[in-house]
Amino acid sequence: MAKLLIGVDAGGTMVKVAAFDAAGREIGCEHQPNPMSFPEPGWTERDPDRLWAIAAQAIRTMLDRTGINPADVAAVTASGYGAGAFLLGGDGRPARPALGSTDSRALPLIAEWQRTGVAEELSLAVSQGVWPGQTSVLLAWFQQHEPEVLARTAHVMNCKDYLTWKLSGEISTDLTDAGCAGLMDLERGTYASDALRAAGLGAWLPKLSPIGPAGEVVGHLTAEAARLTGLRRGTPVARGVYDVVGCSLASGMTRSDQLGIVAGTFSINSTLHPAPCLDPIPTLQCPYPGAPGHYLSTIATPTSASNLEWLCRTMLAAEADRAQAAGRSIYEVCSELVAAGEGRESDAMFLPYLFGGPEGAPGALFGLTAGSNLGDVLRAVFEGIVFAHRADIDTLLGGRDSAHPRTALLAGGPSKSDVWSQMFCDAVGLPLTVAEGSEFGAKGAAICGAVAAGMADDIPAAVAAMTRPCRAYHPKAERTPRLERQYGRYLRMSRELSAAWMPASEATPSCFAGAQA
């Protein structure tokens, strides 16, 4: 009997493929860069055909390295970044390059919608903010600026749905991707057709994908997909969820007293609610399959661990090469330097806004002295990223409909670092758990695959069977005074630098959806 599950997670920077057994133990994994192009300032695009080729090769490489027998694979399931846009023509070819969720070309359109009231009406209809990389906003931009794309497009997809189509030949989406895209009436579980028509998007409605359950077999591996991936033709393909939800499932998030934190390209901070959260209005919101009848409310901003990745790729490139030659990761080296300097007095501070800050605030490193060293700088970067999450969390927990979490769950690159995990714990002031595993997006996809393959009765049962805590942290009270002092300074500097950098009269709408006020 087939007993292994494969998850494919196409994120903003990497495609990750991993295999898991029925208990959620990772058997093997493979990573491949997921290239992005920047044809104009603020535009983030990728070639859908290239993405599929990378994913298929990653599956084949993982099978070859692990020696997994394709006959032992019970299901393969894709996950991927939410929002953005993958547009498929009637000839089965991409209608244009795909867009990432980090794309900001639609900022002027959002400003227009804010002036005319369309933004507020649509936001209330889809129970989340209106932001530049949202699928609904990008469809409006295409309609205004590339009307020929509307004519060429037969199907509107998101990232994981495109990969699912390439695997199975079937076109569909699930409630989480449709919700994240800003296209859905959450309580009805259907597309918000009336609101989309009122926003001028009626022509796109027939092109939206059918919605189905995440833990369902959507189709079976085609002969062409089998040839490219090395998997068996006819292997069940599950529908799956988008990556934020996948990471939440793999973290073990099933209750409304949990705070989910995912640190990656975006600062992603989520809570569960028995009804859609409208105060505060979140960046993203969708029905949550890990707790039926609940909704995952998320504040997300591009202020997280990708800032450290940039630092390591640029200013620390030589150190990264030396670490690799020694068989080590540059991120391990960074964590060791931060841990070694924890007892030092340092007021160095970093604003993690390299990919966009609130109200136009730029990335910045300040507070250095002649006595500062690399460990101080790295500590400032670690803390700045933690503070960005804390600011988003304060927004998420500061409204009438907010949840009241008693524990936190951390996933993403920083969760692999003891010193960074403890820093998150101290900053949010909650006991914090890191779940077992490393590829949480892929594991979340595999959890959906377990249900589709009949290995679990439903997604909550699959979460219970396939996730378990690995490490636990508790807030250290002695660190609170310094962290609170630095956090207050972080908020002040963000506001003041934003005002100095971009006068209010020149400001454009922010993608921060009220976070970090």
Side-chain angles (χ1 to χ4, degrees), residues 246-437:
C247 287
S248 300
L249 295 174
S251 296
M253 189 171 187
T254 57
R255 306 191 315 268
S256 59
D257 66 351
Q258 295 169 313
L259 167 67
I261 304 171
V262 183
T265 302
F266 277 71
S267 160
I268 298 169
N269 311 279
S270 306
T271 47
L272 289 175
H273 303 258
C277 177
L278 297 177
D279 181 15
I281 193 79
T283 315
L284 313 168
Q285 193 156 213
C286 66
Y288 186 66
H294 284 70
Y295 300 84
L296 189 73
S297 177
T298 302
I299 297 288
T301 57
T303 55
S304 193
S306 49
N307 285 269
L308 178 65
E309 180 188 12
W310 171 86
L311 183 70
C312 293
R313 191 178 66 247
T314 55
M315 298 181 187
L316 299 183
E319 286 79 359
D321 289 342
R322 282 194 288 271
Q324 185 176 20
R328 308 188 64 209
S329 162
I330 182 61
Y331 302 109
E332 292 178 48
V333 175
C334 290
S335 289
E336 290 173 1
L337 287 168
V338 172
E342 277 195 301
R344 283 172 53 85
E345 285 298 322
S346 174
D347 290 330
M349 180 166 290
F350 177 71
L351 300 185
Y353 303 151
L354 299 177
F355 303 95
E359 305 305 324
L365 175 66
F366 49 89
L368 300 180
T369 69
S372 299
N373 61 27
L374 179 57
D376 297 328
V377 171
L378 288 168
R379 181 182 178 187
V381 172
F382 277 37
E383 287 184 345
I385 290 167
V386 168
F387 292 154
H389 278 266
R390 164 76 182 273
D392 292 346
I393 290 167
D394 286 351
T395 298
L396 183 65
L397 303 184
R400 182 189 64 247
D401 300 334
S402 294
H404 303 283
R406 294 185 295 176
T407 61
L409 308 172
L410 179 63
S415 70
K416 300 174 185 178
S417 163
D418 272 329
V419 66
W420 214 347
S421 297
Q422 184 65 56
M423 202 179 283
F424 270 93
C425 177
D426 295 336
V428 300
L430 294 172
L432 182 146
T433 300
V434 175
E436 180 182 270

Side-chain angles (χ1 to χ4, degrees), residues 16-154:
K16 288 94 54 177
V17 173
F20 305 88
D21 65 14
R25 289 183 288 264
E26 189 176 295
I27 307 302
C29 64
E30 175 66 20
H31 302 76
Q32 293 290 337
N34 188 9
M36 185 177 289
S37 62
F38 307 92
E40 294 193 30
W43 294 28
T44 56
E45 300 187 350
R46 55 175 36 97
D47 179 351
D49 290 334
R50 189 177 183 191
L51 169 62
W52 163 238
I54 290 168
Q57 184 57 53
I59 295 172
R60 179 176 286 279
T61 301
M62 191 272 296
L63 293 176
D64 290 344
R65 288 184 176 173
T66 58
I68 289 172
N69 183 346
D72 289 337
V73 177
V76 58
T77 313
S79 183
Y81 63 83
F86 283 68
L87 306 179
L88 190 67
D91 59 357
R93 301 285 304 156
R96 72 172 321 282
L99 272 63
S101 55
T102 51
D103 196 282
S104 60
R105 71 186 68 195
L107 280 170
L109 184 147
I110 291 176
E112 176 188 332
W113 276 7
Q114 289 174 338
R115 287 193 299 271
T116 60
V118 171
E120 182 178 4
E121 291 178 11
L122 185 58
S123 178
L124 290 173
V126 301
S127 303
Q128 60 183 272
V130 174
W131 50 284
Q134 197 174 48
T135 307
S136 55
V137 175
L138 294 172
L139 296 182
W141 188 92
F142 290 136
Q143 195 162 310
Q144 282 190 7
H145 300 278
E146 296 182 3
E148 70 281 2
V149 169
L150 170 61
R152 283 201 303 268
T153 298

Side-chain angles (χ1 to χ4, degrees), residues 401-488:
D401 300 334
S402 294
H404 303 283
R406 294 185 295 176
T407 61
L409 308 172
L410 179 63
S415 70
K416 300 174 185 178
S417 163
D418 272 329
V419 66
W420 214 347
S421 297
Q422 184 65 56
M423 202 179 283
F424 270 93
C425 177
D426 295 336
V428 300
L430 294 172
L432 182 146
T433 300
V434 175
E436 180 182 270
S438 61
E439 301 307 328
F440 281 34
K443 190 171 187 176
I447 285 170
C448 297
V451 178
M455 297 165 65
D457 291 338
D458 54 26
I459 288 179
V463 170
M466 296 176 67
T467 68
R468 59 198 60 84
C470 174
R471 303 192 312 276
Y473 301 86
H474 295 275
K476 295 186 176 180
E478 67 272 19
R479 298 185 179 184
T480 300
R482 180 187 174 278
L483 278 173
E484 289 300 311
R485 184 178 71 251
Q486 285 291 88
Y487 179 56

